[in-house]
Amino acid sequence: MSDTSKISDANTGLPNAGADWPTIRDWRKETRTKLIEQRIGLSAQDRAARSQRVSQALGAALEPYAGKLIGFYWPFRGEYDPRAVLSSMRERGTRLALPVIVERGQPLVFREWSPGRLMAQGVWNIPVPESGEPVFPDLLVVPLVGFDEQGYRLGYGGGFYDRTIAAMSVKPRTIGVGFELGRLRTIYPQPHDIALEEIVTER
């Protein structure tokens, strides 16, 4: 991931090396807003073309996990929609789970999901399984607002995925999924940030 010609325009006005956390946090907030606006602003044709390429790459990346338990996400604010790819895997025996925010500042809980499952409106009105015992995925498919050359993720600022992965006694594999427009030179990773093992985009 060394081709800087594809670096997002949002990765400008970078903090100086050694910047303190409040400065980096403010920069992340501004960058997050720009990237979400760009993502939502994609034309329907452009989004469909990008999504098709992401789906092909994601399907290949997930193939080794067929038959396992995969945690994924319900798309939000213009995110790539992974549901068709994951549903196809479910037809071949893969189990699926969705994250639930039980309490702010706490790890996510994953509940098993299948089409037709009774859903409730969660935080930010994202659908979540209404009930179910917690499950522990073998793999997490994680949404990206942005990502950098080292595989660190810029999310929505709540720290839920980092906190969840850190709390798991058996660490799941991780694949970040998003559009190439979210590529950044760096997110200025902090001690609490956990790098993803693989990044999948339309590229």
Side-chain angles (χ1 to χ4, degrees):
M1 291 194 283
S2 60
D3 182 2
T4 56
S5 66
K6 300 292 186 178
I7 298 293
S8 170
D9 291 339
N11 206 163
T12 56
L14 293 171
N16 295 325
D20 60 14
W21 171 237
T23 299
I24 293 170
R25 183 177 56 208
D26 289 345
W27 172 83
R28 286 188 181 184
K29 182 178 180 179
E30 294 171 4
T31 301
R32 181 182 299 114
T33 298
K34 292 177 183 177
L35 291 177
I36 292 172
E37 288 175 351
Q38 290 178 25
R39 190 173 69 191
I40 291 174
L42 292 172
S43 69
Q45 183 177 6
D46 189 10
R47 178 180 299 279
R50 290 172 184 254
S51 295
Q52 183 178 23
R53 295 196 295 273
V54 175
S55 293
Q56 291 172 347
L58 180 60
L62 292 179
E63 192 58 34
Y65 301 95
K68 302 287 188 179
L69 174 58
I70 299 177
F72 74 112
Y73 63 92
W74 202 274
F76 172 66
R77 300 187 74 182
E79 290 172 337
Y80 163 76
D81 186 347
R83 289 176 292 182
V85 174
L86 272 298
S87 293
S88 175
M89 292 196 68
R90 184 180 175 277
E91 293 172 0
R92 294 184 290 136
T94 301
R95 296 164 59 207
L96 304 177
L98 287 170
V100 180
I101 297 176
V102 177
E103 185 178 346
R104 293 183 186 275
Q106 297 298 315
L108 298 165
V109 170
F110 283 84
R111 294 175 182 161
E112 196 156 351
W113 174 85
S114 59
R117 183 76 178 262
L118 188 61
M119 305 288 277
Q121 293 298 310
V123 175
W124 301 310
N125 292 321
I126 300 174
V128 299
E130 185 177 59
S131 60
E133 293 299 315
V135 295
F136 300 92
D138 301 296
L139 169 74
L140 296 181
V141 176
V142 183
L144 304 172
V145 174
F147 63 96
D148 70 13
E149 297 293 298
Q150 289 72 49
Y152 286 100
R153 167 184 180 265
L154 180 67
Y156 292 99
F160 286 106
Y161 277 98
D162 290 329
R163 193 177 295 114
T164 301
I165 294 169
M168 288 181 169
S169 57
V170 178
K171 299 297 184 285
R173 307 290 294 185
T174 54
I175 296 178
V177 184
F179 295 122
E180 191 65 23
L181 60 81
R183 180 183 293 269
L184 303 165
R185 288 187 179 87
T186 181
I187 70 160
Y188 293 88
Q190 302 297 299
H192 62 266
D193 292 310
I194 297 176
L196 300 169
E197 294 169 320
E198 189 173 352
I199 300 289
V200 172
T201 72
E202 72 272 26
R203 179 179 168 192

